[in-house]
Amino acid sequence: MRGKEVVVLEIGSSQLKVIVAKPGINDSLFVKDYASRIYEGYYQGEFVDESKLAPSLYDLFNSIDFKRNKYYKKLYVALPAEMSNVQIVTSQVNIEGLGKVSKTDVDNLTGQAFEKIKAPEIEIVSISPLNYFIDDVKTANPFGKKGRTFSAEFSVITCPASLVKNINSILADLGFINVEYISEVLAEALTVVPEEEREEGALIIDVGHLTTSVAFVKGEGLTNLTSFSIGGGHITSDLCEAFDLSFEDAENLKKQVVISVEADSLDYYDLATSDGKIERIPQQDANKVVSYRLETIASAINQCLMLQGISLNNYVPIYLTGAGASKIKGGKDFLAKCISKNIAFGKAPFPGKNQPEMAVIYSLADYALKNCD
C-alpha cells in the first residue's frame, strides 16, 4: 500500500457510506473515519429520488466534518453493479524493436481497448487485463518475452456518462477537486478473493439490502457481471406483511430467525416490539417466509449464471458478501443448498475487519490505497 490516505464513497442500495483510511501496521488497514447515512437508494440502476441525493451526501460528509479535518481532496466514488457494465475487448499489436514485449506494447494494447469502447454516452471506469498472448500462446507474464504479435483480452467496466456528470456536480459543491470512479464489484473481488484463486476464476455474490450482484472474477478483472433488484430488504418487507409488523420490528425479527434449525410447531420467537410489547411469532412460519425469499434470490442467481453462460464445477470458489443474506443465521448454507455449491463468506483480509457485510467498504479502501496517485 502507498502511504497516502484515501477518501472513498460507497453508493449502496439503501445507505451511503464514506471511509477515510490509510495503511496500517503489517499490511493492515487503519480507518481514520467512517460514517453512513440511510437514503432513498436506487432501483434497477436509477436513484429512487435523485433530488434527495445531494442533501444526503452533504449530511454524510458533514458527519465526518470533512472540511474541518482537511482530508485529502481526492475522492474515490464506488459504482455499484446495477450502474455498471462489463465488456470483454481484444486488441493486438506487432512487437517492435528487439522483438521483446515492453511496457509500451502493453500500453498500446490498453489504448486500443480504450478506443474500441469509448463513446460520448459512457464513462470508462477501468480496463483490466484478463489474458495475454504472444503469437497466440497464452502467457501470464509477457514482459521481455519474444514474438511477432502480442495480443490481450481486457475486461472493460463502464457506466453511463450522465450518471458521472450528475454526481460530479454534487461533489464539486462539497469541495472535491478531483474525483475518480472505481467499480465496487471489481474492488471487492480483488480484495476478497485470493490471487491464486483468481487465476482459475472465482464467483462473488453480494446480497445487499435491495440488490444482489453476481460476478465472475478471473486474474485482475471481471469476465461477467449481472445484478437484480432483490435483497435482504425484501425479506424484511415479507416479514412485515406476514406478521403485520413495522419495518423496524421486522428487521429485529429477521435477526432472531435461525433457518438452519428445524423448528417445532410449538416453537416461537419472542419479539420485543418498538411499542414495548412482546409478540410471539411462530418459528416455523417466520422461517418459511425467510426461506421462500432466499429461494427466490438463489433462483435469480442461477438465472444470472445461465444467462452469462457460466458453468461452475465443484472446484470454483464462491464467496458471499453483503448484509442481505450473510447476517441471517443459516442464510449462507441455505443459499449453498439452493444452488448446489459450497459457499464461503467473503471477508476483507485485515485483522478485526472480517465481517462479510463490511467487505465492500474495506475492499474499496484497500483498492484505492493500492491505486492512488
Side-chain angles (χ1 to χ4, degrees):
M1 292 183 183
R2 310 279 281 275
K4 193 177 293 181
E5 72 181 23
V6 292
V7 186
V8 183
L9 170 67
E10 177 191 347
I11 302 173
S13 59
S14 65
Q15 292 187 64
L16 298 168
K17 297 178 182 178
V18 63
I19 187 171
V20 183
K22 66 179 184 178
I25 300 172
N26 296 327
D27 292 325
S28 62
L29 184 72
F30 180 75
V31 178
K32 291 185 64 177
D33 218 336
Y34 169 81
S36 65
R37 286 292 182 274
I38 294 174
Y39 78 124
E40 284 70 18
Y42 57 83
Y43 179 76
Q44 294 185 349
E46 299 285 341
F47 289 110
V48 173
D49 189 346
E50 194 166 330
S51 67
K52 294 183 179 179
L53 179 61
S56 297
L57 286 171
Y58 296 155
D59 184 43
L60 176 69
F61 283 100
N62 284 335
S63 69
I64 65 169
D65 211 349
F66 176 80
K67 292 183 179 179
R68 182 180 66 82
N69 287 325
K70 296 181 179 179
Y71 290 129
Y72 184 49
K73 291 297 181 181
K74 180 170 183 175
L75 176 67
Y76 291 86
V77 178
L79 294 171
E82 286 202 15
M83 298 179 182
S84 308
N85 183 48
V86 172
Q87 298 182 60
I88 306 301
V89 179
T90 301
S91 52
Q92 179 176 304
V93 297
N94 294 322
I95 301 175
E96 300 178 355
L98 298 175
K100 293 182 179 180
V101 174
S102 65
K103 183 179 182 301
T104 300
D105 295 318
V106 174
D107 291 342
N108 287 339
L109 285 181
T110 307
Q112 276 191 31
F114 180 89
E115 290 297 323
K116 287 183 177 182
I117 291 294
K118 77 171 185 178
E121 68 274 11
I122 67 168
E123 179 84 9
I124 295 177
V125 178
S126 68
I127 301 178
S128 306
L130 295 173
N131 296 297
Y132 288 115
F133 303 88
I134 298 177
D135 294 338
D136 295 327
V137 177
K138 185 177 176 180
T139 178
N141 182 12
F143 291 102
K145 294 183 178 179
K146 292 184 178 182
R148 293 179 179 273
T149 61
F150 178 40
S151 60
E153 291 178 333
F154 291 96
S155 168
V156 183
I157 299 177
T158 64
C159 71
S162 57
L163 172 68
V164 170
K165 181 180 178 180
N166 292 342
I167 296 177
N168 278 348
S169 65
I170 297 172
L171 297 175
D173 291 338
L174 280 166
F176 289 103
I177 58 176
N178 192 356
V179 177
E180 180 175 335
Y181 289 82
I182 58 180
S183 165
E184 171 188 298
V185 184
L186 178 61
E188 186 177 37
L190 294 180
T191 300
V192 166
V193 183
E195 183 177 358
E196 61 273 16
E197 292 184 356
R198 296 201 311 269
E199 290 306 310
E200 296 299 323
L203 191 73
I204 186 162
I205 301 169
D206 189 323
V207 184
H209 184 68
L210 296 176
T211 185
T212 295
S213 65
V214 181
F216 195 83
V217 56
K218 186 173 176 60
E220 299 300 308
L222 303 179
T223 63
N224 302 88
L225 173 63
T226 51
S227 62
F228 52 90
S229 295
I230 310 175
H234 294 86
I235 298 175
T236 308
S237 295
D238 291 344
L239 291 171
C240 287
E241 184 176 346
F243 303 108
D244 194 23
L245 300 171
S246 68
F247 196 84
E248 179 185 354
D249 290 339
E251 275 287 315
N252 289 330
L253 174 60
K254 187 169 70 173
K255 294 175 184 177
Q256 291 187 45
V257 168
V258 182
I259 61 172
S260 56
V261 177
E262 187 173 348
D264 185 79
S265 59
L266 298 179
D267 291 332
Y268 293 87
Y269 294 115
D270 290 326
L271 175 67
T273 64
S274 54
D275 58 3
K277 299 178 181 178
I278 299 294
E279 291 276 356
R280 302 200 75 197
I281 308 293
Q283 288 189 13
Q284 284 187 345
D285 294 342
N287 290 1
K288 285 179 181 178
V289 170
V290 174
S291 298
Y292 176 80
R293 182 60 73 169
L294 285 175
E295 286 178 347
T296 303
I297 292 173
S299 177
I301 290 170
N302 282 326
Q303 286 289 321
C304 289
L305 296 175
M306 185 173 63
L307 289 172
Q308 292 290 342
I310 299 174
S311 179
L312 301 177
N313 61 45
N314 292 329
Y315 303 102
V316 174
I318 303 176
Y319 290 96
L320 174 67
T321 63
S326 66
K327 296 188 74 174
I328 296 173
K329 300 178 183 70
K332 172 180 70 70
D333 294 334
F334 187 89
L335 283 178
K337 181 180 178 181
C338 289
I339 67 172
S340 301
K341 301 293 179 185
N342 292 324
I343 297 178
F345 281 127
K347 306 173 183 178
F350 305 114
K353 296 176 173 61
N354 59 354
Q355 309 97 320
E357 66 271 21
M358 295 294 286
V360 170
I361 194 67
Y362 293 141
S363 295
L364 293 171
D366 180 52
Y367 182 90
L369 283 167
K370 289 176 177 176
N371 293 277
C372 67
D373 300 326

